[in-house]
Amino acid sequence: MTPYFPDAIQSWDVSVLNWIQNNIANPFLDAFFSFITHLGDAGILWIITAVVMLFFKKTRKCGIMMGTALLLGLILGNGIMKNAFARVRPFNLEGEFGSIKTVADLLVPKPGDKSFPSGHTLGSFEAAFVLFGWNKKIGIPVIVLASLIAFSRLYLYLHFPTDVFAGVLLAALNAFLAYVIVNAVYKFIENKKKLKLND
């Protein structure tokens, strides 16, 4: 048993992963999800998106929010939670709880960090939630993409379902915090400008 994760949760997590492998895995999806998962690598896609948005006045505030959410995720998710929970990845279970995949079976390079929460899911949904709050027409397809990236982590046997669920929940919290923080800073700056004009 991994600390903080009782056998019942671990067993359920592995049963879901094994169901995916036994029922829907096929060569086409192997290639598809191997490609999709790399879109979430290191949050590069979302970082670039946030940086590009900074160059345009219309999207700058959203870009700042996205960057803030991603930074919170880096600190809380990858920096604190992954190390605090120190959960091993599914492919490292070595047959425990009926695990059917090992490092040798992976379709993509082995991640070097811990499993909980899913960093790919976290970063993708932070960006998706911020974009959805800014523009639903843009946000909806990004949420679909984030969902595919999240599912790819299960399909490729890199994360447990609870890792992915935690990533989505933490992403929602970080997107909300980013919204509050950035709006508070914007309001503070606007009030400062008003005071200067009144002087």
Side-chain angles (χ1 to χ4, degrees):
M1 182 183 83
T2 304
Y4 309 109
F5 295 93
D7 287 354
I9 292 177
Q10 198 85 324
S11 179
W12 178 82
D13 270 339
V14 172
S15 70
V16 172
L17 297 182
N18 290 346
W19 184 91
I20 292 170
Q21 292 303 311
N22 289 326
N23 291 277
I24 68 171
N26 62 67
F28 171 77
L29 291 180
D30 287 353
F32 177 75
F33 284 118
S34 294
F35 167 76
I36 285 291
T37 205
H38 288 305
L39 296 178
D41 286 356
I44 296 299
L45 173 63
W46 313 120
I47 293 169
I48 291 173
T49 301
V51 170
V52 169
M53 295 180 84
L54 297 179
F55 288 97
F56 305 95
K57 187 175 182 180
K58 184 180 177 181
T59 60
R60 187 169 298 142
K61 189 175 182 181
C62 180
I64 294 171
M65 285 183 184
M66 192 185 299
T68 302
L70 291 169
L71 181 60
L72 288 171
L74 181 65
I75 295 169
L76 298 176
N78 291 49
I80 296 175
M81 292 178 67
K82 276 186 181 287
N83 293 307
F85 287 94
R87 190 182 198 185
V88 298
R89 300 247 181 190
F91 55 79
N92 282 330
L93 288 176
E94 297 179 351
E96 189 178 5
F97 302 112
S99 176
I100 61 174
K101 277 194 176 258
T102 64
V103 174
D105 301 311
L106 296 181
L107 298 172
V108 294
K110 181 186 76 169
D113 57 356
K114 298 300 181 181
S115 194
F116 184 90
S118 167
H120 280 63
T121 303
L122 177 58
S124 299
F125 272 95
E126 283 165 345
F129 287 147
V130 169
L131 284 169
F132 182 80
W134 173 67
N135 186 316
K136 289 181 175 57
K137 288 184 179 179
I138 295 175
I140 289 173
V142 178
I143 285 177
V144 171
L145 176 58
S147 299
L148 289 172
I149 291 172
F151 185 77
S152 77
R153 308 308 284 175
L154 305 179
Y155 184 92
L156 296 170
Y157 227 81
L158 301 174
H159 280 289
F160 298 101
T162 45
D163 300 338
V164 169
F165 294 152
V168 174
L169 291 175
L170 184 58
L173 173 63
N174 290 342
F176 173 75
L177 290 175
Y179 174 84
V180 172
I181 292 168
V182 173
N183 276 321
V185 170
Y186 263 68
K187 189 173 182 179
F188 176 79
I189 293 172
E190 286 175 6
N191 288 336
K192 278 282 189 180
K193 287 180 178 178
K194 288 178 182 178
L195 286 173
K196 281 187 177 181
L197 289 173
N198 294 329
D199 284 346

